[in-house]
Amino acid sequence: MATFVVLVAAIFTAILTGGASEDVSSGARSTRVRRQTGELRQEIPAEFTQIYQGSVYNGTEDIYRYTYTQNESSPRAIRVEVKSKGANEDYPLLFVVRQQRGILSWQVPLMIRGIYGYDKVSRTLCPMDHLQVGVKDEKETVYLEVSAASPAALNYRVNATILTDFSLSTGQSRDFLVSPSQPMYYAYKMPPDLDMVVVKVSSPSNLCAVFSLQPIKCPVYDLDRNIEFVGIYQTFMQKAAITVQKSYFPNGEFYVVVVVKATDADCTGEMETIQPANPSDEAFEMRRVKEVNVVVGPSITDSQYVTAVFVGILVFVLFYVVTFMVLFIQWIRQRNAELEGLAPRPEEQAATSAGAPINAQRTEPNYGATDTDPYTMGEQPVESKPGIPPTDQLNGPPGPPSAPPSRPAQPKSYPKPPMVHTLSDSSMEDDIDMLDDADEDKDIYRTKTFLYVADLARKDHRHLSQKYNLYSWNLLTISVFYALPVIQLVITYQKMLNTTGNEDICYYNFFCAQPAGDLTAFNNVYSNIGYIMLGVLILILVYRRDYTHQKKVDAGDRYAIDYGIPKHFGLFYAIGIALVMEGVMSGCYHVCPNYSNFQFDTSFMYIIGGLGMLKLYQTRHPDINANAYAAYASLAIVIFVAVIGVVFGTPYFWAIFSIVYVLAILALTAQVYYMGRWRLDMGIFHRMYLLIRTDCLQCSKPMYWDRFVLLLVGNIINWSLALFGAVAQPDDFASFMLAIFIINFLLYFVFYIVMKLRSGERILWVTVGLIIITLFCWTLALSFFFKGVTTWEKTPAQSRLDNKACVLMGFYDDHDIWHFTSAISMFCSFLVLLMLDDDLDYTPREKIPVF
């Protein structure tokens, strides 16, 4: 009879636990746990690698007792795997693990974000070996409790194993599988000879996952809902990397934790919906299983770090050394020539360069290229104008000048020009002619068919210089007010990253991020030093030219007063300041590059491009160039539009932007074509009608050919850019705006060079060499710029797909080299602007054409 009862009980238990024996690991033994009649709580001595199957219901509890021996020299961890197909969200199975120093609990099905249920869960228990320092061969007991509140019996399966390969070694690669319900982590300890390591993870799958480094302590946060609580973490798809200093974690020890997200929304930025798990769907959990490889490698050594920093600054120190050596050699040669009586004679230079006539005595300057009745509006034959060749600018260069007379034995000293009373500051800032005929003859001189620099250099030089100096002083004021809140903001960003450990805040190239102090990517910040150092060098060179020119003017040198391109250095000072500030602001941006502060890196690029075009235009149009207030107001509008385009880059925005862009180009075209004499008022439509009827329908050719060709090409290019933007709608609107500035500057610069050569002028060999060097540097710089290593237009995980390893000295990446080469390119470009018209220093302004 007793035998019969036992047999019936065994059959009944088999029915309750049916189906719980599937998915048995290869080589593992399976043991079915039988509950005695009336027994509510039972404790079962368990063994590792043994699979136990059982069932519980409301009021019952199974307790598994595991015992193992700690080993400090070879840390190990316990991994528990549980599974149940009968449990559901209303009546889940509860699992509680009790250890000596902590408790870990979870439920099956494991609910992720409240809707995704997983009936198979694997968790690694916090190992005591790392916490029991100095304790060896001590036994540790772990209890696994299984319970449920279901009125019906719920079947389950449990299996516990010891991870003997729980510790990572430097340079060792480890492959494993993870899912939202089966996270994984390993321990790593830095060896004594390393102060910094790089932890890299990679995967062939695009599933969204989180990669975290956490201190060695319990509990370990390894689920999607809590992995962000401590340590450092990143989202990733195919690869990620974190550079860790030994000082960040006690004794250089930390856990490397990886878990898969329930959805890919955090990595792609696109919302997606996944249906809740179906217990009968065996493939559901496999869709979120990700194969991951992790490796911990050494970073660069301290000596390599210091060497890379030193070499970076040494490159730009060499520019200072070479520049000062050249200046010193020129000074020595000039001094020796003066002592030997062999100083170069201005008259001879005039003969060889532009044919400037030399008079024995100084005469009053000619304030225009016309000596006839100004009301003829250019209808007087060109032959009647002294010093002007009979052919226009498009028919070829002027004829050779007559040879200058020989130089007298002793150089003459010319009297200083009469001083003009200084106006108030408010008058300096306005576009007012300092001439009696300002209101009568302005239109006459500026609308002639053939213009020369003397026609557009009629205002008092001193007042114009004060006007252009406002560019530098205003830019200094703008820079201070702009930079202070920027510095405060990026420091706050960096502190936030260091405090929260969320490295998704900033878009670094994590495969080449060299930390220093609180900065995560010091190399990206430091590489901007080239802009600062070369910007200061530009200011030094401009000051030297300004000082030399002013000395000549004070000495009454007529060549400095009446010959060559009018010397106004205010815009050059502003360009130097803008280059310095570009280094400062780009460095601030790279403290924590992201979507919110991109304009820090681009604002002064727009200013540099705008000032470059203004300086090139000012060279031969000194009287009609824009004042500082109008220029900076226009650039402020450009920066504002750039921000709007990035934040609200909708098709409606692109349509409105393209229309406004084309209208602005047309208005600028009219202003340039008529030398600032085109007024924007209610009569503009009538004047446009007259213009089309007279200039386009009745004339066989435009009145101003040179300007017409330039503006025609410029309009074609800019209209094409507007059309491209409206159709393609590029994601990076800030770069699109910057490209507009660069293209227009290059267009005007090429036009200037071509017209300079067609007008019979020459370019000094030094300037030609600088142009060649500039082209080479820009080509090299742009090649590195387009090797993007990050992009804030995408999510942080997508941006990491572009991350690349260091390419120079194990310290600098492609973007750092862009910083170096672009700084050199800008420096050379501004030197070209500074020296481009040095061949005209002894040419009368009445013979320098305007184009």
Side-chain angles (χ1 to χ4, degrees):
M1 185 63 180
T3 304
F4 177 75
V5 172
V6 171
L7 180 61
V8 172
I11 295 173
F12 180 73
T13 305
I15 295 174
L16 290 178
T17 59
S21 61
E22 69 270 21
D23 298 332
V24 177
S25 300
S26 176
R29 297 172 298 168
S30 177
T31 301
R32 192 179 305 279
V33 178
R34 295 179 174 85
R35 182 178 303 280
Q36 299 299 321
T37 303
E39 185 178 7
L40 300 179
R41 179 186 177 94
Q42 62 177 352
E43 182 174 316
I44 305 158
E47 297 180 2
F48 292 104
T49 71
Q50 179 78 31
I51 297 177
Y52 294 92
Q53 303 177 32
S55 63
V56 292
Y57 54 90
N58 187 21
T60 64
E61 184 178 16
D62 290 345
I63 302 175
Y64 295 89
R65 183 178 70 251
Y66 295 90
T67 304
Y68 76 105
T69 303
Q70 299 178 19
N71 188 346
E72 182 186 3
S73 60
S74 179
R76 298 171 297 172
I78 299 174
R79 188 166 180 83
V80 177
E81 178 184 300
V82 299
K83 183 175 183 179
S84 175
K85 287 190 174 293
N88 55 55
E89 184 177 359
D90 294 329
Y91 295 105
L93 274 171
L94 303 179
F95 294 86
V96 179
V97 178
R98 292 187 288 111
Q99 295 177 269
Q100 178 181 346
R101 295 193 178 185
I103 296 177
L104 179 65
S105 63
W106 66 90
Q107 70 177 45
V108 175
L110 181 65
M111 303 305 297
I112 305 296
R113 300 192 178 183
I115 57 175
Y116 309 114
Y118 294 85
D119 59 13
K120 183 178 180 180
V121 180
S122 297
R123 303 289 298 274
T124 301
L125 307 184
C126 187
M128 294 293 105
D129 297 345
H130 287 83
L131 304 176
Q132 299 285 346
V133 179
V135 178
K136 298 181 179 180
D137 300 331
E138 181 176 330
K139 290 188 176 181
E140 172 74 16
T141 301
V142 177
Y143 296 92
L144 173 61
E145 301 175 359
V146 186
S147 61
S150 173
L154 299 178
N155 303 325
Y156 66 86
R157 187 192 72 186
V158 299
N159 180 26
T161 57
I162 295 179
L163 301 178
T164 57
D165 59 348
F166 180 68
S167 295
L168 296 173
S169 301
T170 305
Q172 177 188 8
S173 178
R174 186 71 54 84
D175 296 299
F176 53 90
L177 299 176
V178 290
S179 72
S181 63
Q182 301 178 68
M184 196 71 189
Y185 63 88
Y186 292 93
Y188 176 79
K189 181 177 182 180
M190 290 188 192
D193 59 333
L194 290 181
D195 294 323
M196 190 163 55
V197 295
V198 182
V199 185
K200 300 179 182 179
V201 294
S202 59
S203 173
S205 170
N206 279 323
L207 293 176
C208 184
V210 182
F211 159 46
S212 172
L213 303 183
Q214 300 181 17
I216 300 292
K217 63 180 182 179
C218 295
V220 178
Y221 299 95
D222 58 352
L223 293 179
D224 180 22
R225 66 172 180 263
N226 59 21
I227 193 172
E228 302 173 357
F229 287 179
V230 296
I232 313 170
Y233 64 91
Q234 300 176 4
T235 56
F236 78 98
M237 298 173 71
Q238 291 188 357
K239 62 181 181 180
I242 297 179
T243 302
V244 188
Q245 301 180 77
K246 181 176 288 186
S247 58
Y248 192 88
F249 293 106
N251 301 319
E253 296 180 283
F254 54 85
Y255 290 130
V256 181
V257 188
V258 181
V259 64
V260 178
K261 290 276 189 179
T263 68
D264 294 332
D266 290 339
C267 292
T268 63
E270 300 175 357
M271 298 302 298
E272 57 179 297
T273 302
I274 299 178
Q275 296 299 324
N278 186 351
S280 61
D281 186 3
E282 297 290 342
F284 173 78
E285 295 185 6
M286 294 304 298
R287 289 199 295 266
R288 302 300 298 175
V289 174
K290 187 180 184 72
E291 181 183 351
V292 177
N293 173 270
V294 60
V295 60
V296 183
S299 183
I300 62 175
T301 63
D302 291 342
S303 60
Q304 292 174 319
Y305 194 108
V306 173
T307 301
V309 171
F310 178 75
V311 170
I313 196 173
L314 180 62
V315 170
F316 299 104
V317 170
L318 290 177
F319 276 85
Y320 279 79
V321 173
V322 172
T323 301
F324 289 135
M325 286 181 59
V326 171
L327 295 179
F328 181 74
I329 292 173
Q330 289 182 347
W331 180 78
I332 292 296
R333 293 179 60 183
Q334 181 178 358
R335 181 179 178 84
N336 291 340
E338 291 175 353
L339 293 176
E340 297 174 4
L342 298 177
R345 292 177 293 180
E347 297 86 351
E348 295 176 357
Q349 295 188 23
T352 58
S353 61
I358 305 301
N359 301 322
Q361 295 181 352
R362 186 179 187 274
T363 60
E364 292 299 320
N366 183 8
Y367 287 101
T370 57
D371 292 336
T372 59
D373 184 6
Y375 293 96
T376 58
M377 296 186 65
E379 296 177 358
Q380 181 73 17
V382 176
E383 290 80 4
S384 64
K385 301 177 183 179
I388 300 178
T391 57
D392 59 36
Q393 300 170 19
L394 290 179
N395 295 331
S402 59
S406 59
R407 184 187 179 193
Q410 297 296 331
K412 288 184 176 293
S413 60
Y414 301 103
K416 294 184 179 181
M419 301 299 295
V420 182
H421 293 290
T422 304
L423 298 179
S424 63
D425 291 341
S426 59
S427 298
M428 295 178 219
E429 300 161 5
D430 298 329
D431 187 14
I432 299 176
D433 282 314
M434 307 304 171
L435 298 168
D436 294 335
D437 63 349
D439 296 326
E440 301 177 2
D441 297 344
K442 182 184 295 185
D443 292 333
I444 307 300
Y445 282 96
R446 295 185 186 179
T447 56
K448 293 191 309 177
T449 304
F450 306 107
L451 276 174
Y452 293 84
V453 169
D455 298 319
L456 299 180
R458 305 175 69 241
K459 295 182 180 180
D460 181 69
H461 181 278
R462 185 175 180 182
H463 291 144
L464 280 181
S465 295
Q466 292 174 338
K467 169 186 173 180
Y468 291 126
N469 285 339
L470 289 176
Y471 273 94
S472 55
W473 289 113
N474 285 358
L475 187 58
L476 276 176
T477 305
I478 294 171
S479 301
V480 171
F481 281 94
Y482 191 58
L484 291 180
V486 167
I487 295 173
Q488 180 182 4
L489 179 63
V490 296
I491 291 176
T492 302
Y493 271 131
Q494 185 67 67
K495 288 183 177 180
M496 184 185 303
L497 185 148
N498 296 338
T499 302
T500 63
N502 181 9
E503 295 202 337
D504 283 356
I505 296 176
C506 306
Y507 285 71
Y508 301 120
N509 177 17
F510 289 95
F511 281 76
C512 186
Q514 311 297 340
D518 291 335
L519 295 178
T520 303
F522 171 73
N523 57 308
N524 294 150
V525 178
Y526 176 74
S527 58
N528 290 281
I529 193 172
Y531 297 115
I532 300 175
M533 294 185 65
L534 295 183
V536 173
L537 186 55
I538 281 285
L539 292 174
I540 294 174
L541 293 175
V542 172
Y543 175 77
R544 174 184 173 274
R545 284 212 164 197
D546 190 7
Y547 177 76
T548 303
H549 174 73
Q550 192 59 43
K551 283 185 62 177
K552 292 180 179 179
V553 171
D554 294 341
D557 188 345
R558 66 176 302 181
Y559 294 100
I561 299 173
D562 297 331
Y563 285 68
I565 298 295
K567 301 296 190 297
H568 301 290
F569 297 96
L571 272 168
F572 276 124
Y573 283 120
I575 289 174
I577 295 171
L579 187 57
V580 172
M581 289 306 302
E582 171 59 26
V584 174
M585 302 307 295
S586 179
C588 291
Y589 166 74
H590 285 91
V591 169
C592 182
N594 58 48
Y595 174 83
S596 302
N597 60 6
F598 72 94
Q599 68 272 20
F600 301 164
D601 191 32
T602 56
S603 296
F604 278 87
M605 290 184 182
Y606 299 141
I607 293 176
I608 290 174
L611 292 178
M613 285 187 284
L614 286 173
K615 180 57 194 175
L616 200 57
Y617 186 77
Q618 179 216 49
T619 302
R620 305 200 182 214
H621 309 77
D623 284 2
I624 62 174
N625 206 21
N627 60 56
Y629 302 113
Y632 289 133
S634 301
L635 292 172
I637 294 174
V638 169
I639 296 172
F640 175 75
V641 172
V643 174
I644 297 298
V646 172
V647 178
F648 305 104
T650 62
Y652 296 103
F653 167 80
W654 278 103
I656 296 173
F657 169 77
S658 300
I659 294 173
V660 174
Y661 180 25
V662 171
L663 293 178
I665 290 298
L666 290 176
L668 183 62
T669 299
Q671 286 293 101
V672 173
Y673 189 73
Y674 288 104
M675 292 293 177
R677 305 314 304 154
W678 182 273
R679 296 187 303 275
L680 298 176
D681 52 23
M682 295 304 296
I684 185 173
F685 299 103
H686 179 66
R687 289 194 300 275
M688 289 179 63
Y689 167 73
L690 295 177
L691 172 65
I692 295 174
R693 190 182 71 176
T694 57
D695 283 17
C696 299
L697 301 180
Q698 297 182 7
C699 294
S700 59
K701 65 178 181 177
M703 182 178 297
Y704 313 112
W705 259 109
D706 295 337
R707 280 172 268 169
F708 176 80
V709 173
L710 169 65
L711 294 173
L712 177 64
V713 175
N715 273 266
I716 292 174
I717 292 177
N718 282 278
W719 285 36
S720 301
L721 289 172
L723 181 63
F724 171 79
V727 175
Q729 298 181 10
D731 294 332
D732 191 354
F733 182 78
S735 297
F736 177 75
M737 289 288 290
L738 186 60
I740 292 176
F741 273 81
I742 294 175
I743 291 174
N744 282 277
F745 177 75
L746 290 178
L747 171 66
Y748 190 27
F749 183 77
V750 171
F751 171 81
Y752 192 95
I753 294 294
V754 171
M755 292 304 302
K756 183 177 176 66
L757 296 176
R758 291 185 71 251
S759 300
E761 301 173 9
R762 65 190 182 94
I763 302 176
L764 301 181
W765 284 109
V766 176
T767 309
V768 173
L770 277 174
I771 293 175
I772 296 174
I773 294 174
T774 301
L775 291 175
F776 172 78
C777 290
W778 273 120
T779 303
L780 183 64
L782 291 175
S783 67
F784 284 102
F785 176 77
F786 289 114
K787 294 180 181 179
V789 293
T790 61
T791 172
W792 49 260
E793 295 89 356
K794 302 178 181 178
T795 64
Q798 291 172 332
S799 175
R800 291 187 187 96
L801 297 177
D802 297 328
N803 288 179
K804 298 179 181 66
C806 301
V807 296
L808 181 63
M809 304 181 70
F811 188 85
Y812 301 108
D813 62 12
D814 290 323
H815 198 72
D816 295 325
I817 300 178
W818 150 254
H819 287 161
F820 289 143
T821 52
S822 62
I824 296 173
S825 302
M826 291 184 187
F827 174 75
C828 294
S829 300
F830 298 147
L831 283 186
V832 171
L833 284 180
L834 191 63
M835 303 171 61
L836 187 58
D837 290 311
D838 283 357
D839 60 299
L840 301 176
D841 284 349
Y842 298 99
T843 302
R845 292 173 188 170
E846 293 83 358
K847 292 188 176 182
I848 302 177
V850 172
F851 42 77

